[in-house]
Amino acid sequence: MNRPPRIATEAQQGYTFSRRAWLLGAAQIGVGTVLAGRMGWLAIAENERYNLLSESNRVNMTLIPPRRGWLVDRHGNPIADNRTDFRVDLIPDRVVDEERTLAALRQLLALTEEDLLRIRADLKHAAGFQPVKVAENVGWERFAAVQVRQPELPGVAPTRGFARNYPAGAAVAHLTGYVGSATAEQYKQTKNPLFVTPGFKLGKDGLEKTLEDELRGKPGAKRIEVTARGKLVAELATRVDVPGKTQRLTIDAGLQEYAARRLGTNSGSAVVLDCLTGEMLCMVSMPAYDPNSFSDGISQLEWKMLSADDHVPLMNKVTQGLYPPGSTVKPMNGLALLEAGVSPDERVFCGGALRVGSGVFHCHKRRGHGAIDLRGAIAQSCDIYFYEMIRRLGYDRVAPVARAVGLGEKYDLPLAAQRYGTVPDSAWKERKYKTKWTVADSLNSSIGQGYVLANPMQLAVMAMRIASGRMLQPSLLMDKVARNAPALPFSAENLRVVREGMWKVVNGGGTGGASRLHIPGVELAAKTGTAQVRRITMAERRSGVLSNAQLPFKLRDHALFVCFAPVENPRYAASIVLEHNGHTVRNLDTPLIGRDIMTYLFDKERALKSLAEVEPTWGGDIRTRMAAQEAAYRATTTAAAAAQAVATETDAPAPTRARAVEQATDASNAAQEATVSDIGNGVGPASVGTTEPSEPQ
C-alpha cells in the first residue's frame, strides 16, 4: 500500500536544523576542551620533562666520578690516595668505525702495537655499554688533542678525573685491596649510570671493598652546550662531586712497608699489635700483588703469573692462612698447667723420648734435656715436658685457656675473608669425628700440632694478651679502638712465670737467642715454633728423617715466632709465620726477622741499616724482585701467547677468592686430614717431635 509523502513544515525544519547545530557545537566544544586540556597538561604538568628533553638536545650531561676518600695511617700518611688522571676510553656501543677510530687514537696518543692488541681484545670481550680503557695518565697536550677531535670520533670518551694510587704498592696489597671497574653484572643489578661512567671504580677487595660506602662519595655532573651535530659550543655550570670520607687506620705505614721488605723472599706474614690498646700497627702478607696494577686493569699475563706462583701471592695469609701453631703455644700450655695447680718448679725428666702405651713420642733434642721445669721447658721448647704434663692433666683443661688468649676467636675487623682455626677438645672431636679423644690427641696438641689450627692474627693476639694480661681486641680503624679491656681470668703470678719463660727463650740460652735486641734497656720475650706439614713414612723414620734443606719447598716445615717487648712493661707484640721456611736460611728465618721488626719500633735507623745489609742478597727490594719475576715469566711465553696475554683480565675474581687461593686452602685441608689420620695410626707429628733448633742461634 502506497503511503502519501510526508510534508515537513517550516517549524519542523527549523527544529531539526537547531538540533544538528547544537550537537555539532557541543562536539566542537568537547574537542576544543580536550585540546585545551592537553595543551594545558603539556604546558604545565609536563613542562619540566619537555624542558629537560629540549635541554638534552642542546646540552650533554655526563656524570663525574667522585673522588674516593683516602686511607691514611695513624700519623696521617697516605696508604691509598688519589692522583690527577687524564684518561681516554672507548664506549663500544657508540663506536661507528673501529679501525678509523683506532688509527686516529694511535696517532693522537702515540699508542704502541701492544696497546692496540690490548684495546682490540678488550673491545671484543666487553659489554657494549662498558668503557674500554685506551690510555691512562695521558699528557695534557695529547688529551686536549683528543678532546678537540671528539666530535669526529664517536665513542671516544676523554675524561679528566682522579685515579687510585697506592704509594707502597705490594706492601699494602692485602690490607687495602684495590679498586676496579664495575662488572656488567653489577650494572645490570643496580642500573646505576655511575657504574658505566668512564673513570669510575669501586672497591673490589680488602678495605677498599669493606669500606666502600664510606669511601665512595657522591658523583658530580658536567654540562656542555653542543650543536645539533654534537660540536662543543660552551661549557656550562658543573655540579662538583662530593669526595668520600677519609678513613684513618691504626696502621703505621713505615712499619708496614719495613715488615713487608724484611720478610724478603719468604711466603709468609707478620702482624704487630699495640699491647696498650690492641691497635694493629702492621698487617703484612707476602709475596703480594701490586694493587696499582689491578686498579689500572691487570693484564692476562700478570694474572696468570700470580695464579701460578707456588707462594700464592693472591692469598691474604694473615686471615686466610691456617697453620698448626707448633711450639708457639707452649707458653699458653704452661699458663694452663699453672692455672690447673701445677708448680712452676716441678721437674720432668726428658731423656729424648716418652713411651705411652705402644707408642713412642720424641723430643726435638734426641739426647734429651734432662730434668727440666716449666720456665726451662718454654725456653728450650722441650716436648717431653709438655707431653708428660698434658698427658696427666688432659687437654680439656688447656682448651679454655687457649680460647681465652685468642685462639679460635673471630675478631670484629673490616676484612672480608677470614678463617678462624680450631681449638679442639673431647666434645669437639665427638661432634666432628664421632670418636673419643685419645692420649695421642693430647700429646700432639701439646706441641701445637694435631687438630690445633690458628691464623697469624690469632697468634699475635695470644702474644699480646699474655704480655698485657688483658682481653685486648685487635682493631684496624682509629675510631673503633676497643679501650678499657678487662683483665684475663688468670693469676697475675702465673702470667709472670710464663713471661719469664719467654724471656729465657731469647735471653737465657733458649731457642730464640738470635732474636735478642741490641738496644740498651729493651729486652725481647719470645717463643719460636715449627709445624710439620708432610707425612713421614715408616721407611723414612727407620732410615732417618730428611732435613728441611733436603726437601722441596712445599714439603718443608712452617716456621713461626711470637714475641713482645719490652719485657718489663710490654708495649708491642708480634707474630711471624713463614710457610715452608724450614729454618733453612738464617737471615730469612723467624728470629732475625722478628728481631728487626721489633727493632724498628725502638730504633728505626738501626733496623733500616740491618735491612740494607741483607736485602741486596735477595735480589733487591720488592719492586725490583717483582719486575724481574715478571720479565722472567714473560720470557717463557710464546709470541702468540704473549700477544693474547696483553689483554686486560676482565674475569678475574677478587684475589682473596681466586682459584689459586682455593687450591692452596684445599691442599692445606688435605694435609691436615692426613695428619689426623697419622695420629689415629700412632704416627703423628709427636712421634718424631718438633724440629726446633736445639742450640741458641
Side-chain angles (χ1 to χ4, degrees):
M1 183 176 76
N2 293 330
R3 292 182 179 181
R6 186 176 179 180
I7 300 173
T9 64
E10 184 176 348
Q12 288 176 324
Q13 289 177 344
Y15 172 76
T16 300
F17 177 80
S18 298
R19 185 177 61 182
R20 288 175 181 174
W22 182 85
L23 290 173
L24 182 60
Q28 289 175 332
I29 291 171
V31 171
T33 301
V34 170
L35 290 175
R38 179 61 177 166
M39 290 175 66
W41 171 262
L42 293 175
I44 299 170
E46 293 283 271
N47 177 268
E48 184 176 357
R49 177 189 170 202
Y50 284 101
N51 271 340
L52 289 174
L53 287 174
S54 64
E55 182 78 356
S56 68
N57 288 331
R58 182 181 71 89
V59 176
N60 281 343
M61 187 174 75
T62 57
L63 290 176
I64 300 173
R67 289 161 286 175
R68 288 182 74 80
W70 287 21
L71 294 172
V72 300
D73 81 343
R74 61 191 302 107
H75 306 298
N77 300 313
I79 293 176
D81 57 14
N82 304 313
R83 54 175 169 79
T84 303
D85 182 39
F86 294 101
R87 61 179 291 132
V88 177
D89 294 277
L90 283 173
I91 311 300
D93 276 351
R94 300 177 187 173
V95 176
V96 176
D97 187 334
E98 182 178 313
E99 290 305 317
R100 175 177 169 275
T101 301
L102 290 179
L105 291 175
R106 179 178 185 178
Q107 180 180 7
L108 293 170
L109 298 173
L111 301 176
T112 65
E113 283 296 331
E114 189 172 275
D115 291 331
L116 292 174
L117 282 172
R118 175 187 58 77
I119 295 167
R120 287 192 174 95
D122 290 355
L123 283 170
K124 184 177 180 180
H125 296 102
F129 48 79
Q130 278 186 297
V132 169
K133 183 186 74 173
V134 175
E136 286 187 313
N137 294 321
V138 177
W140 167 249
E141 291 185 0
R142 294 188 183 280
F143 179 79
V146 173
Q147 272 198 316
V148 169
R149 294 192 57 183
Q150 189 179 1
E152 307 165 22
L153 300 171
V156 175
T159 309
R160 291 180 289 183
F162 295 88
R164 203 58 159 169
N165 178 54
Y166 305 93
V172 299
H174 290 294
L175 171 67
T176 62
Y178 69 102
V179 297
S181 300
T183 63
E185 289 73 21
Q186 287 174 314
Y187 173 69
K188 290 173 182 176
Q189 288 173 1
T190 63
K191 296 299 182 182
N192 187 341
L194 183 61
F195 282 20
V196 291
T197 300
F200 172 74
K201 293 178 180 178
L202 73 167
K204 294 285 190 173
D205 207 0
L207 292 176
E208 292 281 23
K209 180 178 180 180
T210 57
L211 300 178
E212 173 66 22
D213 291 343
E214 292 83 1
L215 293 172
R216 182 184 294 182
K218 296 181 180 179
K222 180 172 66 175
R223 299 170 67 245
I224 301 174
E225 186 175 5
V226 294
T227 66
R229 295 181 177 272
K231 283 197 172 186
L232 175 66
V233 175
E235 287 195 13
L236 304 178
T238 297
R239 185 184 74 206
V240 297
D241 64 303
V242 178
K245 297 178 181 177
T246 292
Q247 300 295 307
R248 188 178 172 205
L249 310 181
T250 61
I251 295 294
D252 182 323
L255 176 64
Q256 177 83 12
E257 187 167 4
Y258 181 85
R261 293 173 62 188
R262 188 59 188 85
L263 287 175
T265 57
N266 279 299
S267 173
S269 59
V271 179
V272 178
L273 301 172
D274 188 319
C275 290
L276 300 182
T277 62
E279 295 168 66
M280 196 184 308
L281 303 180
C282 86
M283 189 200 83
V284 177
S285 175
M286 294 300 290
Y289 57 89
D290 184 350
N292 293 298
S293 293
F294 273 76
S295 296
D296 292 342
I298 192 170
S299 68
Q300 290 182 8
L301 180 139
E302 189 173 354
W303 175 255
K304 289 179 181 177
M305 179 187 72
L306 292 169
S307 299
D309 193 328
D310 63 358
H311 284 36
V312 200
L314 297 173
M315 173 185 276
N316 181 356
K317 299 175 179 67
V318 172
T319 58
Q320 290 184 288
L322 287 182
Y323 310 93
S327 296
T328 61
V329 297
K330 286 176 180 174
M332 178 275 295
N333 289 344
L335 180 60
L337 295 175
L338 294 171
E339 289 291 314
V342 173
S343 169
D345 300 318
E346 183 177 350
R347 292 176 177 268
V348 169
F349 181 79
C350 171
L354 175 71
R355 179 173 290 277
V356 179
S358 60
V360 178
F361 300 87
H362 291 277
C363 186
H364 69 86
K365 189 174 183 179
R366 293 307 181 213
R367 295 191 302 270
H369 293 97
I372 194 167
D373 64 9
L374 177 59
R375 294 178 182 86
I378 293 173
Q380 299 298 327
S381 201
C382 178
D383 297 329
I384 299 300
Y385 177 91
F386 290 99
Y387 291 158
E388 174 60 24
M389 285 297 188
I390 292 178
R391 180 181 70 82
R392 297 179 194 174
L393 186 68
Y395 198 77
D396 280 0
R397 302 288 292 276
V398 177
V401 178
R403 297 187 185 102
V405 297
L407 300 188
E409 187 173 343
K410 179 179 180 179
Y411 307 118
D412 183 19
L413 295 169
L415 300 170
Q418 296 186 61
R419 300 176 70 205
Y420 307 109
T422 304
V423 176
D425 56 23
S426 56
W428 171 86
K429 187 181 180 186
E430 185 72 39
R431 288 194 306 271
K432 184 173 177 64
Y433 293 101
K434 311 301 182 194
T435 58
K436 298 294 184 182
W437 188 268
T438 67
V439 173
D441 294 331
S442 291
L443 300 189
N444 281 281
S445 297
S446 74
I447 59 170
Q449 295 265 188
Y451 302 111
V452 185
L453 290 173
N455 66 38
M457 178 69 69
Q458 292 167 339
L459 295 180
V461 171
M462 178 183 70
M464 174 180 67
R465 290 183 179 176
I466 289 175
S468 67
R470 298 165 59 204
M471 296 280 288
L472 290 163
Q473 293 290 330
S475 54
L476 195 49
L477 300 175
M478 286 297 289
D479 59 356
K480 293 189 177 180
V481 176
R483 304 183 187 278
N484 302 317
L488 286 170
F490 307 129
S491 160
E493 175 61 20
N494 291 341
L495 285 165
R496 184 185 64 79
V497 171
V498 169
R499 293 181 199 128
E500 288 174 357
M502 295 180 72
W503 174 86
K504 292 185 69 174
V505 170
V506 179
N507 308 284
T511 57
S515 61
R516 186 180 294 111
L517 298 181
H518 302 291
I519 303 172
V522 181
E523 291 184 319
L524 183 74
K527 184 67 194 80
T528 56
T530 310
Q532 179 185 311
V533 299
R534 68 188 183 98
R535 305 180 77 173
I536 300 175
T537 65
M538 292 304 296
E540 184 181 341
R541 294 174 198 275
R542 288 191 295 268
S543 62
V545 177
L546 296 174
S547 69
N548 280 289
Q550 296 172 288
L551 296 169
F553 171 72
K554 283 290 186 181
L555 297 182
R556 296 174 186 168
D557 296 336
H558 298 321
L560 306 96
F561 189 79
V562 296
C563 62
F564 61 85
V567 171
E568 300 80 6
N569 186 22
R571 179 61 197 276
Y572 305 111
S575 73
I576 297 159
V577 178
L578 306 180
E579 293 182 336
H580 311 295
N581 171 274
H583 307 294
T584 52
V585 179
R586 180 178 169 84
N587 66 21
L588 286 171
D589 201 0
T590 50
L592 290 181
I593 293 174
R595 179 201 69 182
D596 286 351
I597 289 176
M598 295 301 279
T599 297
Y600 182 94
L601 293 162
F602 298 101
D603 189 340
K604 188 182 301 185
E605 289 186 9
R606 182 188 291 270
L608 290 170
K609 181 180 178 182
S610 177
L611 178 61
E613 291 173 355
V614 293
E615 194 171 45
T617 67
W618 309 328
D621 62 15
I622 297 171
R623 287 184 175 87
T624 302
R625 295 199 307 272
M626 289 179 69
Q629 182 185 16
E630 183 174 350
Y633 187 83
R634 187 182 292 271
T636 63
T637 60
T638 64
Q644 180 183 4
V646 298
T648 303
E649 178 57 63
T650 56
D651 296 326
T656 52
R657 300 187 182 279
R659 179 59 184 152
V661 175
E662 293 178 358
Q663 291 171 339
T665 301
D666 291 343
S668 175
N669 292 341
Q672 178 67 9
E673 289 303 315
T675 299
V676 169
S677 175
D678 284 348
I679 294 170
N681 295 324
V683 290
S687 62
V688 292
T690 64
T691 54
E692 293 292 306
S694 58
E695 300 295 336
Q697 298 187 53

